Amino acid sequence: MSDSDLSSKYVLQTAGFDARFPNTNQTRHCYQNYTDYFKCVAAKGEDFAPCKQFKRAYNSLCPNEWISKFDDQRENGTFPASLEP
């Protein structure tokens, strides 16, 4: 597959500017987007388009190990934040 075929198949995008985190380490930005996604899904469902933006943002900002750890904590009921809307 050539590079042009790959570029037309995939769109690479990073998380945009978030005014809540202007000059901070992106750790908080990662965590906030993760919690916002699951709160949004609980309130509106997975197919709600704005929820998908939170998911794209946390997948872009968070290391995969953190996402796995957050997912394990959610499943075990030990996640440190409330994910209720």
Side-chain angles (χ1 to χ4, degrees):
M1 232 180 197
S2 71
D3 287 339
S4 63
D5 292 338
L6 287 176
S7 64
S8 64
K9 186 175 179 180
Y10 298 103
V11 176
L12 300 178
Q13 202 172 18
T14 60
F17 176 74
D18 189 336
R20 298 176 294 177
F21 307 100
N23 296 312
T24 62
N25 183 315
Q26 294 303 304
T27 301
R28 288 178 46 206
H29 194 180
C30 154
Y31 183 79
Q32 188 64 51
N33 277 287
Y34 185 88
T35 57
D36 286 346
Y37 171 72
F38 286 100
K39 286 180 182 182
C40 184
V41 167
K44 302 288 185 175
E46 275 190 56
D47 295 329
F48 190 59
C51 294
K52 293 178 182 179
Q53 177 58 34
F54 292 126
K55 185 172 186 172
R56 282 192 296 272
Y58 84 72
N59 278 318
S60 173
L61 293 167
C62 301
N64 292 333
E65 296 83 23
W66 291 10
I67 295 171
S68 296
K69 181 178 177 183
F70 293 161
D71 290 341
D72 290 343
Q73 289 175 337
R74 264 188 325 104
E75 290 169 7
N76 295 331
T78 59
F79 191 72
S82 170
L83 298 176
E84 297 298 319

